[in-house]
């Protein structure tokens, strides 16, 4: 029997497994994906939001705890547990050395064209390189790993104590267990149910999943039904607007469309529906998924002209291109008359001052609803381009309620040996909204806590081991 | 190809392998996670589209280190099937072929195994025949390392000098053609120094983090860089040994046979040992290489060149050991034959990668000093 069982194979699971092993426990990790798809959503990530009071290795300037906390408060609109949030923030300041010790590399801030932010440490090679490094380290430390091992149920006694995990008819016992099997964003039925119908349309049917196809939420549902304390709203998720041609799963980062603020966004009826100039990229990026989800057919069209080329991240698929607006409307399958009318109306309303995409500039529209409050320039320079966008789900927020020891709770009572980390409990900190790098910060902080606590619950801790050693050596 | 995109690309005049690099670079350009690994990614990020010259440049900038394949979220089994090192390797071979001088000989790259075999066999026969003609009877009389008693120095200097100069000319013209497809402008001293540093240290086999590149799997190793260093510096030391010996001869500093502790012999021995360790290591790594790295079809070319280098050092060191015996004449003929084959195939084999890569690194060193035209803000 293993001391600690880890269910999941992404960042949170790996952090937990490594920490439990470091305490001396024997560890088995069960990943539902085959080896080549291992790593869940974590393989698609790029960075970790880190607090720091002074410039530190790959981080410039400072990002103090208070500022981090305020940022989190802002995006969540208060849907966050301050104690757990601050714990995450503080842990983010000190986890990088541990990550490095397991082979994770960070990208130096000076290099090339990447705008390495003050707030985030970037993984060299991205999340897949990070996941690879953790798996290598896990193998080296003797952690047992099983792929194609999707757990479908747990045996839990009346006191909320973990007894065993089940894969079909197989029963895997362990002294303690960490759940780190992600959200339910890949489960299309559940998404459908969570989002429901709007104007007679099942909106989630048109969603794309930006990450893994393996986060089916099986254990979330199991735990909910088993009476575990839950947190978060199943309809809340991180949802951005991505290229409509993105694959159904695993489109990852490259399908994002970054030119919305440089032009206008139209719906299926060739009408504008929101202020494209409202705010900077990180904010507008996160709002457009939901905005598009609420439009007919869950589709939007970002329209730009040649002036915008070279000013935004190159999209992965080529845009629809035409020499006249009329032709572009036709190519998009929209009513070309309405299309041209909307753009001309917008063009006429533009009050161009000094265009500057780097600040909230003074180019805006007048007498137009909805207004475009910044970066409003007429769309008049051929050729014209358009990109069709659909909602892309990053991850869901429904999760298990925890305390600062990452314990699963039943009716407000902590389980003695069942812990949870990562996306499965991120809702405690991130009730809604999102700010780049917080997902990995939560997974790393709580993964490490859960691993340590699980080892502890199985009778292992470095502290204890040291004491036993002292006793054996006659020092104590 | 029937798609609109296909037609546009055909109009752009891209071959299938170039189209693949263009496709892959378009994906990378909107992802950019691998930015820190090597120069390919920052160079890519300065472009929105990838024309023929961009593709050739980027392909030669790639060191085939494999890091970006293992880190790639879009690698197989993902439907995007991104494999940067493979796409780049396939185009690299094409660039060597396209830019080769004389153009007709460019096809030798494609049949490199055969080329190597023929060159080696031909050169060996030549020297053995020369031995027969000139010194047939003396074959087994110990000559105490007096090589020139068999092949007069001037004959050797003429033969090897001609072939070497031809090789350098052919490579020079090729690399000039490559440079001119899209010259980044004049090279400043800073750019030259940086590029030289990158070449001499093989910076981009360090993985961006100094732990090395990938070989068999996703773990990093410095051995590929080290064995490259042994090979490169071994080759240079051997070259220096020959040059010094030639100068000694012309200026009458020393007569053959040079004593063991003379400069040419010491340089040659050091170089020979480098060329023993380096290629052996590279061959060992090559046999263990992850099958998805690079272009499998080019393995014979890689291995052919490695083996030729290895045989050069083995025959050279053997010659040194047995130069006082009756076997010297035969050993000398074999060694010279192998060296001649190496020289003959320099411009049409794997050796070219070093030249083209150095040129690409210089292009990058120049280009990165120029302001970028794009203003694509990122996250
Ligand atoms: C495209 C994209 C980009 C992102 N970029 C960032 C970023 O830059 N920074 C950041 O902080 N966050 C980012 N995120 C969010 C981040 O991915 C998540 O917050 C984080 O990965 C969660 O880690 P996790 O270990 O909890 O879940 P995951 O990494 O999703 O891992 C869940 C694991 O559980 C396995 N699993 C699921 N069900 C079972 C089962 N029944 N049995 C066994 N195993 C199971 C899955 O196969 C998977 O391995 C991004 C997300 C996406 C989709
Ligand atoms: S190799 Fe893959 S992960 Fe790296 S930049 Fe390209 S697409 Fe992104
Ligand atoms: S294989 Fe290595 S050198 Fe080539 S592009 Fe990828 S990271 Fe750069």
């Amino acid at each position: 029997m293993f001391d600690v069982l880890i269910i999941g194979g992404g960042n949170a699971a790996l952090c937990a497994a490594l920490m439990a092993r470091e305490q001396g426990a024997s560890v088995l990790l069960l990943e539902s994906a085959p080896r080549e798809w291992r790593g869940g959503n974590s393989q698609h990530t790029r960075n970790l939001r880190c607090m720091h009071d002074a410039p530190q290795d790959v981080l410039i300037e400072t990002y103090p705890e208070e500022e981090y906390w305020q940022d989190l408060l802002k995006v969540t609109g208060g849907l966050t547990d301050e104690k757990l949030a601050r714990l995450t923030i503080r842990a983010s300041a000190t986890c990088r050395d541990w990550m490095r010790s397991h082979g994770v590399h960070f990208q130096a801030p000076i290099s090339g064209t990447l705008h390495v932010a003050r707030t985030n440490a970037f993984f060299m090679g991205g999340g897949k390189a990070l996941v690879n490094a953790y798996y290598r380290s896990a193998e080296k430390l003797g952690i047992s790993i099983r792929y194609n091992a999707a757990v479908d149920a747990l045996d839990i006694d009346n006191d909320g104590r973990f007894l065993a995990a089940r894969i079909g008819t197989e029963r895997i016992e362990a002294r303690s267990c960490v759940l780190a099997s992600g959200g339910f964003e890949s489960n299309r039925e559940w998404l459908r149910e969570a989002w429901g119908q709007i104007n007679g349309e099942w909106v989630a049917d048109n969603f794309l999943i930006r990450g893994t196809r393996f986060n089916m939420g099986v254990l979330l549902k199991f735990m909910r039904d088993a009476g575990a304390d839950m947190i978060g709203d199943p309809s809340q998720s991180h949802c951005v607007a991505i290229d409509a041609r993105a694959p159904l799963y695993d489109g990852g980062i490259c399908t994002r469309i970054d030119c919305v603020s440089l032009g206008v966004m139209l719906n299926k009826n060739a009408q504008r529906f929101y202020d494209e100039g409202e705010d900077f990229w990180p904010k507008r990026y996160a709002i457009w998924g939901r905005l598009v989800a609420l439009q007919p057919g869950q589709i939007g069209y970002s329209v730009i002209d040649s002036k915008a080329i070279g000013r935004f991240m190159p999209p992965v698929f080529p845009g629809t291109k035409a020499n006249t607006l009329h032709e572009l409307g036709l190519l998009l399958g929209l009513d070309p008359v309405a299309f041209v009318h909307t753009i001309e109306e917008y063009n006429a309303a533009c009050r161009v001052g000094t265009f500057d995409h780097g600040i909230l500039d003074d180019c805006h529209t007048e007498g137009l609803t909805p207004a475009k409050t910044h970066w409003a320039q007429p769309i008049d320079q051929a050729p014209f381009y358009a990109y069709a966008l659909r909602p892309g789900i990053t991850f869901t927020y429904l999760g298990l309620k925890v305390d600062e020891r990452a314990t699963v709770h039943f009716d407000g009572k902590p389980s003695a040996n069942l812990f949870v980390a990562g996306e499965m409990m991120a809702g405690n900190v991130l009730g809604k909204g999102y700010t780049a790098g917080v997902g990995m910060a939560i997974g790393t902080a709580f993964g490490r806590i859960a691993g340590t606590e699980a080892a502890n619950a199985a009778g292992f801790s470095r502290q204890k081991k040291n004491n036993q050693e002292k006793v054996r050596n006659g020092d104590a | 190809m029937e798609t609109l995109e296909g037609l546009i690309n055909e109009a752009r005049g891209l071959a299938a392998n170039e189209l693949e690099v263009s496709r892959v670079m378009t994906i990378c350009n909107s992802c950019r996670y691998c930015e820190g690994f090597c120069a390919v990614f920052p160079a890519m990020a300065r472009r929105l589209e990838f024309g023929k010259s961009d593709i050739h440049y980027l392909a030669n900038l790639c060191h085939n280190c494999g890091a970006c394949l293992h880190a790639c979220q879009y690698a197989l089994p993902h439907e995007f099937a991104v494999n940067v090192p493979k796409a780049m390797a396939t185009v690299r071979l094409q660039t060597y072929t396209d830019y080769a001088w004389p153009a007709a000989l460019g096809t030798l790259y494609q049949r490199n195994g055969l080329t190597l075999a023929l060159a080696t066999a031909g050169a060996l026969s030549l020297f053995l025949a020369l031995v027969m003609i000139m010194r047939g009877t003396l074959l087994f009389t110990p000559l105490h390392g007096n090589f020139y008693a068999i092949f007069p120095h001037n004959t050797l200097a003429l033969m090897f000098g001609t072939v070497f100069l031809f090789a350098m000319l052919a490579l020079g013209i090729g690399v000039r053609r490559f440079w001119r497809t899209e010259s980044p402008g004049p090279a400043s001293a800073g750019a030259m120094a940086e590029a030289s540093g990158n070449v001499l240290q093989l910076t981009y086999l360090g993985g961006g983090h100094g732990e090395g590149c990938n070989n068999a799997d996703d773990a990093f190793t410095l051995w590929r860089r080290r064995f490259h260093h042994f090979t490169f510096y071994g080759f240079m030391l051997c070259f220096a040994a020959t040059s010094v010996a030639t100068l000694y001869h012309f200026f009458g500093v020393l007569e053959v046979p040079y004593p063991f502790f003379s400069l040419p012999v010491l340089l040659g021995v050091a170089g020979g040992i480098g060329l023993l360790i380096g290629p052996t290591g590279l061959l060992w790594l090559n046999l263990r290489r992850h099958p998805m790295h690079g272009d499998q079809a080019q393995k014979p070319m890689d291995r052919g060149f490695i083996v030729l280098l290895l045989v050069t050092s083995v025959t050279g060191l053997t010659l040194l050991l047995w130069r006082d015996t009756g076997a010297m004449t035969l050993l000398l003929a074999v060694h010279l034959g192998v060296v001649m084959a190496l020289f003959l195939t320099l411009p049409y084999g794997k050796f070219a990668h070093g030249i083209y890569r150095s040129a690409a690194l210089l292009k990058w060193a120049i280009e990165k000093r120029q302001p970028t035209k794009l203003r694509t803000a990122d996250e």
Side-chain angles (χ1 to χ4, degrees):
Chain A
M1 181 163 71
F2 284 92
D3 299 318
V4 176
L5 182 71
I6 311 278
I7 304 176
N11 174 60
L14 289 159
C15 285
L18 290 167
M19 285 304 280
R21 186 77 194 101
E22 281 180 359
Q23 312 304 309
S26 65
V27 179
L28 171 64
L29 180 142
L30 302 174
E31 158 67 297
S32 62
R35 190 190 187 282
E36 57 272 27
W37 282 115
R38 71 185 182 184
N41 282 346
S42 304
Q43 62 167 316
H44 289 296
T45 63
R46 140 180 288 186
N47 58 38
L48 178 78
R49 186 168 286 252
C50 295
M51 150 192 163
H52 52 112
D53 290 327
Q56 248 175 41
D57 51 281
V58 294
L59 297 161
I60 52 167
E61 298 169 31
T62 66
Y63 188 48
E65 177 176 337
E66 206 45 38
E67 191 183 347
Y68 198 148
W69 163 242
Q70 288 303 329
D71 285 347
L72 208 55
L73 206 55
K74 237 181 289 163
V75 295
T76 57
L79 281 179
T80 174
D81 178 326
E82 179 163 357
K83 196 169 56 184
L84 301 184
R86 286 192 185 272
L87 187 159
T88 305
I89 294 171
R90 287 180 202 141
S92 77
T94 51
C95 61
R96 288 196 312 288
D97 279 339
W98 179 83
M99 294 169 73
R100 281 196 191 89
S101 75
H102 289 289
V104 175
H105 292 289
F106 293 93
Q107 174 128 10
I110 19 79
S111 77
T113 49
L114 189 76
H115 298 260
V116 177
R118 169 177 71 94
T119 51
N120 289 53
F122 286 65
F123 314 134
M124 187 180 279
K128 188 157 175 194
L130 168 134
V131 162
N132 286 345
Y134 280 157
Y135 273 106
R136 280 201 304 276
S137 196
E139 279 166 16
K140 218 180 286 166
L141 293 175
I143 293 171
S144 302
I145 296 163
R146 265 178 67 184
Y147 298 105
N148 301 303
V151 175
D152 37 45
L154 304 181
D155 288 351
I156 300 170
D157 73 10
N158 290 334
D159 297 328
R161 166 176 272 278
F162 168 86
L163 303 171
R166 285 183 186 276
I167 301 177
T169 52
E170 186 185 357
R171 204 168 166 274
I172 302 162
E173 292 182 4
R175 293 196 171 81
S176 65
C177 176
V178 177
L179 302 173
S181 55
F184 67 88
E185 60 277 349
S186 333
N187 187 328
R188 303 195 61 83
E189 279 76 56
W190 198 345
L191 283 182
R192 190 174 212 247
E193 188 188 305
W195 281 76
Q197 277 176 302
I198 299 177
N199 298 326
E201 292 176 320
W202 289 99
V203 287
D205 286 0
N206 279 320
F207 288 3
L208 300 165
I209 316 304
R210 300 179 66 216
T212 182
R213 59 202 69 193
F214 292 95
N215 286 356
M216 298 297 286
V218 175
L219 290 176
L220 262 181
K221 201 169 251 173
F222 177 89
M223 292 304 289
R224 188 187 64 183
D225 297 347
D229 297 347
M230 305 297 285
I231 192 163
D233 170 356
S235 76
Q236 277 296 340
S237 65
H238 182 240
C239 177
V240 303
I242 59 170
D243 197 303
R245 294 161 289 184
L248 181 51
Y249 293 106
D250 288 297
I253 193 77
C254 80
T255 58
R256 62 138 140 46
I257 295 290
D258 188 22
C259 60
V260 173
S261 60
L262 288 162
V264 293
M265 183 82 126
L266 307 187
N267 64 13
K268 222 170 141 180
N269 304 324
Q271 301 303 317
R272 286 179 63 245
F273 53 90
Y274 198 81
D275 176 7
E276 302 89 348
E278 186 184 59
D279 210 338
F280 289 113
W281 197 64
K283 169 121 188 261
R284 33 175 228 270
Y285 183 61
I287 63 172
W288 282 98
R290 193 161 269 272
L291 287 171
V292 170
L294 300 178
Q295 293 302 309
Q298 294 72 52
I299 193 149
Y301 301 89
S302 168
V303 183
I304 54 169
D305 70 357
S306 291
K307 293 195 293 293
I309 299 300
R311 290 183 181 277
F312 61 98
M313 280 292 285
V316 69
F317 301 114
T320 307
K321 181 179 168 185
N323 280 319
T324 66
L325 287 169
H326 187 88
E327 192 192 337
L328 188 61
L330 275 177
L331 285 175
L332 294 176
L334 303 180
D335 173 0
V337 178
F339 182 79
V340 174
H341 180 256
T342 301
I343 306 264
E344 278 175 352
E345 202 179 46
Y346 159 79
N347 285 352
C350 285
R351 299 289 171 270
V352 180
T354 315
F355 177 83
D356 186 343
H357 206 207
I359 55 166
L360 296 171
D361 71 2
D362 59 355
C363 302
H364 64 283
T365 58
E366 252 172 46
L368 190 72
T369 355
K372 184 175 177 189
T373 48
H374 302 98
W375 313 301
Q377 280 184 308
I379 297 177
D380 55 8
Q381 208 177 94
F384 304 99
Y385 299 85
Y387 297 90
L389 280 85
R390 287 215 180 272
I393 300 278
T394 313
F395 58 86
T396 51
Y397 290 163
L398 177 73
L400 300 175
K401 195 160 169 32
V402 295
D403 56 12
E404 65 272 30
R405 288 178 50 233
T407 345
V408 172
H409 283 61
F410 294 89
D411 286 328
K413 281 210 308 281
S415 163
N417 65 348
L418 188 54
F419 306 88
V420 57
E423 219 171 272
M424 265 185 114
M425 49 61 66
N428 288 277
V429 179
L430 205 57
K432 71 169 200 189
Y434 184 68
T435 175
V438 171
M440 294 298 274
I442 297 170
T444 307
F446 278 91
R448 296 186 60 200
I449 292 170
T452 312
E453 293 290 339
N456 229 323
F460 290 86
S461 80
R462 223 187 255 150
Q463 198 62 41
K464 229 183 244 171
K465 228 175 120 192
N466 288 347
N467 288 343
Q468 283 166 353
E469 214 123 279
K470 276 187 196 158
V471 171
R472 237 182 287 132
N473 297 339
D475 303 345
Chain B
M1 249 189 279
E2 294 297 5
T3 61
L4 180 63
E5 215 186 315
L7 289 172
I8 294 168
N9 282 324
E10 261 173 39
R12 284 160 68 196
L14 297 185
N17 54 6
E18 292 165 334
L19 270 178
E20 174 63 4
V21 169
S22 164
R23 182 189 77 89
V24 164
M25 284 289 105
T26 304
I27 298 173
C28 289
N29 211 4
S30 47
C31 165
R32 300 194 179 177
Y33 279 14
C34 294
E35 213 233 3
F37 285 138
C38 73
V40 167
F41 296 94
M44 163 200 82
R46 292 180 149 247
R47 292 158 167 78
L48 290 177
E49 283 186 343
F50 302 94
K52 209 178 175 73
S53 54
D54 305 304
I55 291 168
H56 288 189
Y57 160 52
L58 294 173
N60 280 288
L61 206 47
C62 168
H63 287 51
N64 200 5
C65 80
C68 65
L69 173 67
H70 292 287
C72 186
Q73 56 188 317
Y74 302 115
L76 281 173
H78 195 285
E79 61 199 90
F80 286 176
V82 170
N83 185 338
V84 180
K86 181 176 175 195
M88 296 301 197
T90 322
V91 165
R92 268 200 302 281
L93 181 69
Q94 192 196 322
T95 61
Y96 308 157
T97 315
D98 285 1
Y99 298 116
W101 181 86
L105 293 184
T107 50
L108 294 181
Y109 281 107
Q110 318 282 0
R111 304 288 305 276
N112 205 256
L114 189 66
T115 308
L116 275 177
L118 289 179
T120 315
L124 272 177
S125 322
L126 172 74
F127 279 94
L128 290 171
L130 282 177
V131 168
M132 296 308 225
I133 295 166
M134 298 173 78
R135 307 279 157 168
T137 50
L138 289 178
L139 209 53
F140 293 104
T141 323
L143 290 169
H144 303 289
N146 187 0
F147 306 147
Y148 300 147
I150 305 167
F151 300 114
H153 180 269
N154 289 348
T155 313
L156 288 184
L158 187 70
M159 286 171 70
F160 281 93
T162 311
V163 174
F164 184 70
L165 286 177
F166 173 79
M168 290 304 111
L169 183 72
L171 282 169
I173 292 175
V175 86
R176 198 173 117 101
R177 285 175 175 172
F178 167 69
W179 189 268
R180 288 189 147 189
T181 53
E182 195 190 55
S183 171
S188 64
M192 300 260 261
E194 183 182 323
S196 313
N198 288 340
V199 171
L200 294 175
Q201 296 169 47
L202 273 171
T203 312
Y204 294 113
L205 283 188
H209 39 57
E211 284 188 15
C213 54
N214 297 95
N215 194 61
D217 51 28
D218 60 67
F220 299 105
T221 169
L222 278 167
W223 281 110
R224 195 150 152 251
R225 188 179 182 180
R226 290 179 185 138
F227 287 136
H228 256 95
H229 280 333
F230 273 113
T231 308
F232 175 77
Y233 290 103
F235 185 87
M236 294 316 271
L237 286 173
C238 289
F239 192 70
T242 315
S243 307
V244 170
T246 308
L247 291 178
Y248 274 15
H249 180 81
F250 277 129
F251 295 104
V253 180
L254 266 178
E255 285 305 319
V256 282
Y258 301 126
F260 189 82
F261 287 103
S262 64
L263 195 53
V265 177
L266 286 179
L267 285 171
V269 168
I273 291 173
L275 270 188
L276 213 53
I277 299 172
T280 307
L282 288 178
L283 192 62
W284 183 74
L285 290 175
N286 189 287
L287 293 168
R288 272 156 195 77
R289 203 92 210 262
H290 192 285
M292 276 166 78
H293 291 181
D295 178 10
Q296 289 299 314
Q298 289 174 33
K299 283 218 158 161
M301 172 158 109
D302 300 352
R303 290 177 190 163
F305 180 60
I306 293 173
V307 169
L308 198 55
L309 285 173
L310 198 57
V311 177
T312 303
S313 64
V314 169
T315 56
L317 291 172
T318 317
L319 177 61
L320 179 71
L321 285 177
W322 275 282
R323 67 179 180 179
D324 292 336
T325 72
M328 183 201 89
T329 315
L330 195 63
L331 290 174
L332 181 65
V334 170
H335 181 59
L336 291 178
V338 171
V339 174
M340 180 60 86
L342 182 69
F343 277 25
L344 277 172
T345 53
L346 281 187
Y348 309 109
K350 188 69 188 187
F351 180 81
H353 83 288
I355 310 286
Y356 283 92
R357 180 153 297 134
S358 305
L361 284 167
L362 182 58
K363 272 196 188 198
W364 168 238
I366 297 170
E367 185 180 54
K368 71 185 278 197
R369 287 171 166 73
Q370 294 160 353
T372 168
K373 292 177 219 97
L374 302 177
R375 277 182 287 165
T376 56
D378 199 0
E379 253 172 297

